[in-house]
Amino acid sequence: MLNTSIIYVGAGFVRFVFVIYVSLRTVQLLSIEDYAYFGIANVIAMLFGLLWFINIDTSFQKIFSKRLINKSVNFLVLVVTVFLTITMMVFTTLILLYLKNTNQTFGAFEVMQTNYILYYFLFISLNSYILSILNAKQKRKEYVLQITLPVILVALYLFSSNDIELSKLFLVHASSIGLVTILIGCLNPSILNSSNYSARRFKFILLYMIRYTYRSIPTLTTKYLLDLVIRVTIIRNFGHQELAVYNFCQSLLNIFRSFEQSIARAVTPFILKQTKSNNSGLIFARNLIFTQTIITIITLFSSYIWMPMLMKIIASKPADLFDSEMLILLGAILISGYWKNYSLMYMKKSSRTMKIFYDQTTFINLLLMLVFSLSFESLYVLLIIQLNVLVFHNFVLQRNIRKFRMN
């Protein structure tokens, strides 16, 4: 577990370095309006991936951990992936036909009409799906390539560019993921070997995967819809400039989020195998997340020092874009997410606690969607309400975990 965590965190650090450059260079090259729309596009991409794969990849860590049925799992994943892909292509075609006959000025509709955006959605979703498979099968070399190489390719392209349009940026991201995906396929020719597939226990594993996954669909749907509602609310009530500030802070914070995701991917498979009496994996994860929390807090409050430096590096953009107060507030929301995901690591051990987690999180997301749909004169007020709700939810989750441990 320690070796896997070191490799994953190391890959996360490499990605961290290049994501910083890509994030800053993207802000520098895109107009404020395009950068605002880029944030909306990223949220829609998450929704697109959820519609495509219906979150079945969350079950991969569990079903691939049963080594005796790996061939059956391989066959199941292949069949389900092909079926869902064909279904998604039909669904996407219908959406595009509808958008061609729509003249809405709603922010999400405007973004959807940008060239190459469909390729962006496809490959962003595919990248996340492939990472789940590689992690579940513990293919560490391929995982490291898939998580680092696309962003390195994007960084190299942006380094050589003097300006870029939003549509071209979509194409660059999609192409980089596509090239790395082909490379991963070439490194694993065994995927074409029929001896690695078996139809035995297909129905049993499929039903298990559905039972494992279906409860998460409402939670993730409301989560991504909440992100979309927040951004659409900002652009409608506060303008492109304020959404650009929000997106910029989120892009900086996503760097820390990628570290936390790397920790979760490395540790969760070991936690799932451990009993209540042996929670060394959970303790290890808690220590890592605590350390990351401290590092994040230090980085956030030191932003009063390094934000002015960024302002000089990206001198072509308005000074209002570099908002330390917004960064700290969103960072506090991010830290609450660290600990919510820590709770999820433990609650995955039981279907009963998973149901509690999903039901509560879905309710919280719906509540926050309602809050952001109301009229407030200050974005900070909305974000402070969001932070307080999430902190309270973390408190409730910790109480549930303590009850489960006692039973």
Side-chain angles (χ1 to χ4, degrees), residues 84-318:
L84 291 177
T85 299
I86 293 173
T87 304
M88 192 60 188
M89 293 303 99
V90 173
F91 180 72
T92 303
T93 301
L94 294 175
I95 289 178
L96 292 176
L97 289 174
Y98 171 75
L99 288 174
K100 284 184 178 179
N101 299 306
T102 302
N103 295 317
Q104 295 280 348
T105 57
F106 179 63
F109 281 99
E110 292 184 18
V111 173
M112 287 292 291
Q113 293 171 346
T114 308
N115 291 334
Y116 305 120
I117 193 168
L118 180 59
Y119 300 108
Y120 182 71
F121 291 166
L122 284 169
F123 284 98
I124 288 291
S125 303
L126 186 63
N127 187 56
S128 178
Y129 188 74
I130 291 173
L131 281 172
S132 295
I133 294 176
L134 295 175
N135 177 57
K137 293 175 74 68
Q138 296 185 14
K139 290 186 173 292
R140 295 185 293 188
K141 178 178 66 176
E142 291 86 347
Y143 177 87
V144 169
L145 289 174
Q146 191 75 32
I147 201 173
T148 58
L149 198 50
V151 71
I152 292 174
L153 294 175
V154 173
L156 291 174
Y157 181 87
L158 295 181
F159 177 77
S160 63
S161 301
N162 294 321
D163 59 75
I164 192 170
E165 296 179 351
L166 185 58
S167 59
K168 191 64 171 293
L169 183 63
F170 289 148
L171 183 60
V172 170
H173 277 278
S175 300
S176 65
I177 295 171
L179 289 172
V180 176
T181 301
I182 293 172
L183 173 61
I184 298 299
C186 293
L187 291 174
N188 291 272
S190 60
I191 60 176
L192 301 176
N193 191 342
S194 60
S195 64
N196 288 321
Y197 300 92
S198 171
R200 293 181 60 190
R201 308 191 73 182
F202 178 89
K203 182 179 178 181
F204 172 79
I205 301 171
L206 176 63
L207 291 175
Y208 177 85
M209 185 172 66
I210 292 171
R211 287 196 300 269
Y212 190 93
T213 303
Y214 81 93
R215 286 197 183 100
S216 66
I217 301 299
T219 302
L220 284 175
T221 301
T222 54
K223 174 187 174 182
Y224 297 142
L225 284 175
L226 172 61
D227 284 345
L228 185 59
V229 166
I230 290 173
R231 285 170 168 81
V232 169
T233 298
I234 293 173
I235 201 170
R236 183 185 64 217
N237 295 344
F238 307 106
H240 292 88
Q241 173 77 22
E242 196 69 16
L243 180 55
V245 174
Y246 181 88
N247 290 342
F248 181 59
C249 292
Q250 289 288 19
S251 68
L252 293 175
L253 293 171
N254 281 339
I255 298 166
F256 294 99
R257 188 176 288 113
S258 67
F259 268 119
E260 186 261 339
Q261 289 171 344
S262 296
I263 293 169
R265 287 191 177 114
V267 175
T268 300
F270 298 96
I271 293 174
L272 293 175
K273 295 177 182 178
Q274 292 174 345
T275 62
K276 286 185 180 181
S277 60
N278 179 18
N279 282 321
S280 58
L282 197 67
I283 295 170
F284 181 71
R286 183 183 62 198
N287 292 337
L288 282 177
I289 292 175
F290 178 79
T291 302
Q292 187 179 8
T293 298
I294 298 300
I295 293 172
T296 303
I297 290 172
I298 293 172
T299 305
L300 291 174
F301 282 96
S302 66
S303 64
Y304 290 102
I305 299 173
W306 54 260
M307 269 291 199
M309 299 178 187
L310 291 184
M311 195 183 306
K312 293 179 181 179
I313 295 172
I314 314 176
S316 59
K317 292 296 182 284

